[in-house]
Amino acid sequence: MQTNLGPRNETCFLSVREELRDFKTLGVRSNDRKDHWVVFMGPRTFSEHTTKPLNTPFLPTPRSLQRPIVESFEEAPLHVMVFTYLGYGIGTLFGYLRDFLRNSGIEKCNAAVEREEQKDFVPLYQNFENFYIRNIYMRIRDNWNRPICSAPGAVFDVMERVTDDYNWTFRFTGRIIKDVINMGSYNFLGLAAKYDESMRTVKEVIETYGLGVGSTRQEMGTLDKHKELEDLVAKFLNVEAAMVFGMGFATNSMNIPALVGKGCLILSDELNHASLVLGARLSGATIRIFKHNNVQSLEKLLRDAVIYGQPRTRRAWRKILILVEGIYSMEGSIVHLPDIVALKKKYKAYLYMDEAHSIGSVGPTGRGVVEFFGLDPRDIDVYMGTFTKSFGAAGGYIAGRKDLVDYLRTHSHSAAYGTSMSPPVAEQIIRVMKLIMGLDGTTEGLQRVQQLAKNTRYFRQRLSKMGFIVYGNEESPVVPLLLYMPAKVAAFARHLLNRKIGVVVVGFPATPLAEARARFCVSAAHTQEMLDTVLEALDEMGDLLNVKYSRNRKSARPELYDEMSFELED
């Protein structure tokens, strides 16, 4: 079956190659992190796109057609980075000392080690990541995997635990820490909550269908609820068709290999989620990485791919697939979609967009980054999203043209081998999606989307004015606050929990070694009083731990990037 991800016409690639053979790039500044704000401009509507000949460099759209999207990626002061690396260096030295004591039998080793009879084998555990876990992560391990014993609403309950052996093991005290303000869950619209009367339809589905399906979609696991949900997702996204899956991670990792394979090229953003990375690796396609949200880096890879084709044979690539995310969960940045769409059209590539964090959380009516930028839904070849964030459920979807979805129904590994989505989970998603779309006869869904945007702007602006280094887009409900030093990461999370504020702190290997951070997730369920309580605590914590590193606190006036100082020709 020929899908909309079928091979491009090779004569098209040949003609493009000839036009670009002597092409030289325009020298512009890359979108690396600098010590100032980045203002990205995007077109207001799809109809305002302009198309340039293939033998001209890609430039942003004219200023008259642009809307400002402000993103901040401020660099830390030099002394902060010096002390951060110095701290890791000292920790490494003491780690080697303690490993020596363990190997000598002076100190007990609680970590996994090779058995004596395997001493001549290739070691399984002796690598840097295991060294890091054993000697650095273990010292601050109590800040992760905290057990929650309530719904992940605006507040939740945490089970208290203590350790008697320096975080190697934990024991529960039996005490419950009540009403902790939840600043870590991806409950963007506040719809992951305790049972109320609005969930009555979910209860009825449990009574009718039960909890499990016990089969795959290709066998006996397709229910009428699945079909109802897929039709609703397609309507919500304004596309031809959609298919839902029981697991969000597998939606990426199991479907990308069905779309591309050997002889295809994947161009992946360097900060893409692990599910996208795994799917790309499993596909067998050639993978090349472009700098995060950097259209100049992406265009260079696209141009080289079109000109030179596959290694050795120089044949045209069967397909070129660009992988991006709507909102990047560790950076809080939003994909520069208008420019990427323009590049995709110019070089005849395909675009696969993961909207796990952006669907339901951005856009005037919560329809994601396509609506956020006012683009045509047909500009995206493959929509992917999950129901685990804004929808308070589980699973994911692939959407787009009908022939794409029909192809995946027979070729997707997840459809062939993965258990179908649970009926009450499907009903929860249907209920929430109707709420967002206003099909329930109320405006509650729209009000939640608007409240989330209001809370996001308020929280981000207050943090920036306090002097913290905050990454990401001003409209992104994912708010990374940079802490850098591992000792401060631990102290930050512990002190806030003592004040009944639950936060997620993130470090290596989820982030670069020297960019540890706290990651806040704003929710529509947060009240003004909750946010003010959190901000007051953060202000005091910033002074206590000396983590107000920003040098831009006195001026919020954005500075333009060098590459934005020119316009397209008429």
Side-chain angles (χ1 to χ4, degrees):
M1 176 185 292
Q2 177 69 30
T3 72
N4 69 323
L5 284 187
R8 295 291 196 187
N9 191 328
E10 188 162 335
T11 59
C12 174
F13 282 113
L14 294 175
S15 64
V16 175
R17 286 183 185 178
E18 293 302 320
E19 293 189 34
L20 296 180
R21 183 69 65 181
D22 299 320
F23 178 79
K24 294 183 178 179
T25 57
L26 181 66
V28 295
R29 191 174 178 179
S30 67
N31 190 18
D32 292 331
R33 297 189 184 113
K34 298 296 177 183
D35 191 19
H36 56 261
W37 293 77
V38 179
V39 174
F40 167 73
M41 303 295 196
R44 286 191 291 266
T45 63
F46 167 74
S47 60
E48 292 170 334
H49 271 304
T50 56
T51 303
K52 297 293 288 181
L54 286 172
N55 59 351
T56 61
F58 171 76
L59 303 177
T61 49
R63 291 179 188 270
S64 60
L65 305 180
Q66 293 166 353
R67 57 174 289 183
I69 305 300
V70 181
E71 292 185 345
S72 175
F73 294 100
E74 183 182 350
E75 281 188 345
L78 178 61
H79 74 276
V80 173
M81 300 307 295
V82 169
F83 282 116
T84 299
Y85 282 110
L86 183 62
Y88 278 112
I90 294 173
T92 301
L93 289 176
F94 275 93
Y96 280 116
L97 174 61
R98 296 191 67 180
D99 278 355
F100 172 77
L101 296 177
R102 293 179 185 123
N103 294 332
S104 303
I106 301 174
E107 179 181 336
K108 179 183 177 182
C109 181
N110 294 311
V113 295
E114 286 81 13
R115 292 180 296 175
E116 182 64 25
E117 57 267 31
Q118 292 180 315
K119 63 180 181 180
D120 295 325
F121 285 43
V122 176
L124 292 175
Y125 308 112
Q126 293 179 3
N127 54 46
F128 175 74
E129 288 194 13
N130 187 261
F131 175 88
Y132 172 87
I133 292 171
R134 187 170 59 247
N135 294 293
I136 298 179
Y137 166 76
M138 199 57 64
R139 303 169 70 92
I140 56 178
R141 180 180 169 223
D142 56 297
N143 296 291
W144 288 274
N145 306 313
R146 287 178 175 144
I148 309 301
C149 55
S150 68
V155 296
F156 55 28
D157 300 335
V158 181
M159 298 175 66
E160 186 181 60
R161 62 181 184 177
V162 294
T163 178
D164 300 314
D165 53 4
Y166 304 100
N167 291 337
W168 286 99
T169 61
F170 296 96
R171 60 179 174 85
F172 294 107
T173 64
R175 174 174 171 256
I176 304 298
I177 306 174
K178 294 281 190 178
D179 298 327
V180 177
I181 299 177
N182 180 6
M183 295 301 298
S185 298
Y186 291 130
N187 187 18
F188 294 132
L189 297 182
L191 293 168
K194 294 185 290 186
Y195 180 82
D196 58 35
E197 188 57 27
S198 67
M199 302 178 189
R200 176 179 45 81
T201 57
V202 177
K203 180 180 178 181
E204 292 173 353
V205 166
I206 295 176
E207 294 172 349
T208 303
Y209 294 85
L211 291 173
V213 178
S215 185
T216 68
R217 289 295 302 270
Q218 289 189 4
E219 294 171 348
M220 299 180 67
T222 297
L223 307 179
D224 55 348
K225 279 297 172 184
H226 296 145
K227 302 299 293 183
E228 179 184 355
L229 174 57
E230 289 171 350
D231 292 341
L232 191 61
V233 170
K235 182 178 180 181
F236 181 66
L237 297 174
N238 195 22
V239 295
E240 294 178 8
M243 184 177 182
V244 298
F245 304 89
M247 181 181 178
F249 190 97
T251 305
N252 274 332
S253 60
M254 295 291 100
N255 284 298
I256 292 175
L259 298 175
V260 291
K262 188 176 181 180
C264 299
L265 175 65
I266 291 176
L267 302 180
S268 179
D269 189 290
E270 65 179 343
L271 297 182
N272 273 341
H273 189 262
S275 59
L276 289 168
V277 174
L278 178 60
R281 290 175 177 174
L282 291 175
S283 71
T286 300
I287 304 171
R288 291 175 185 164
I289 309 300
F290 62 92
K291 293 182 180 180
H292 175 55
N293 254 346
N294 190 310
V295 292
Q296 283 77 28
S297 174
L298 175 58
E299 182 175 27
K300 182 179 185 303
L301 293 177
L302 282 167
R303 187 178 62 250
D304 290 346
V306 170
I307 293 175
Y308 301 113
Q310 300 183 42
R312 294 191 302 273
T313 66
R314 298 306 180 191
R315 287 185 175 182
W317 295 99
R318 291 175 54 217
K319 303 169 194 172
I320 300 177
L321 182 65
I322 303 170
L323 298 182
V324 296
E325 293 187 51
I327 291 178
Y328 291 85
S329 60
M330 288 298 170
E331 307 298 307
S333 53
I334 295 179
V335 62
H336 293 181
L337 190 59
D339 285 350
I340 290 178
V341 166
L343 280 180
K344 164 236 170 183
K345 292 181 177 180
K346 176 178 176 181
Y347 291 96
K348 305 297 185 294
Y350 296 103
L351 180 58
Y352 182 113
M353 184 169 65
D354 178 348
E355 289 215 79
H357 298 85
S358 55
I359 194 67
S361 64
V362 297
T365 62
R367 284 171 167 81
V369 292
V370 172
E371 182 187 50
F372 180 81
F373 287 109
L375 299 179
D376 191 317
R378 292 171 296 182
D379 289 340
I380 313 301
D381 297 292
V382 186
Y383 284 89
M384 180 274 170
T386 64
F387 302 116
T388 53
K389 281 80 177 177
S390 297
F391 298 90
Y397 65 83
I398 294 286
R401 286 180 48 173
K402 186 176 184 301
D403 55 356
L404 164 70
V405 175
D406 289 343
Y407 177 84
L408 288 177
R409 291 191 193 280
T410 57
H411 290 78
S412 168
H413 297 82
S414 187
Y417 306 112
T419 302
S420 298
M421 179 183 289
S422 173
V425 171
E427 178 59 31
Q428 162 69 2
I429 301 165
I430 292 171
R431 182 185 73 84
V432 171
M433 195 165 288
K434 286 182 177 179
L435 181 75
I436 298 174
M437 298 171 71
L439 299 180
D440 64 337
T442 71
T443 60
E444 181 185 349
L446 181 60
Q447 290 172 4
R448 286 178 179 267
V449 173
Q450 294 172 346
Q451 185 63 46
L452 174 61
K454 179 181 177 181
N455 287 351
T456 296
R457 287 191 291 269
Y458 177 74
F459 191 72
R460 279 183 167 274
Q461 289 169 5
R462 286 286 306 275
L463 285 179
S464 297
K465 289 179 181 178
M466 289 177 185
F468 293 103
I469 292 182
V470 179
Y471 274 3
N473 191 287
E474 64 177 2
E475 303 288 341
S476 169
V478 178
V479 187
L481 186 154
L482 274 292
L483 301 172
Y484 298 103
M485 304 178 193
K488 293 187 177 183
V489 169
F492 188 86
R494 290 166 183 163
H495 281 289
L496 286 179
L497 184 60
N498 290 337
R499 302 186 64 160
K500 289 193 172 184
I501 298 172
V503 300
V504 171
V505 286
V506 190
F508 177 84
T511 69
L513 188 65
E515 290 189 14
R517 65 197 67 179
R519 184 187 61 192
F520 300 96
C521 290
V522 182
S523 171
H526 289 139
T527 64
Q528 180 82 27
E529 291 74 21
M530 289 178 183
L531 293 179
D532 286 339
T533 299
V534 173
L535 289 165
E536 180 183 352
L538 291 176
D539 194 18
E540 295 178 11
M541 200 60 54
D543 294 331
L544 175 66
L545 300 179
N546 194 25
V547 291
K548 294 182 178 180
Y549 300 125
S550 177
R551 292 163 291 186
N552 294 331
R553 67 185 74 179
K554 293 182 180 179
S555 174
R557 184 174 64 85
E559 298 179 21
L560 294 182
Y561 248 73
D562 287 354
E563 62 260 37
M564 296 302 164
S565 62
F566 46 77
E567 298 183 359
L568 286 173
E569 299 175 358
D570 294 331

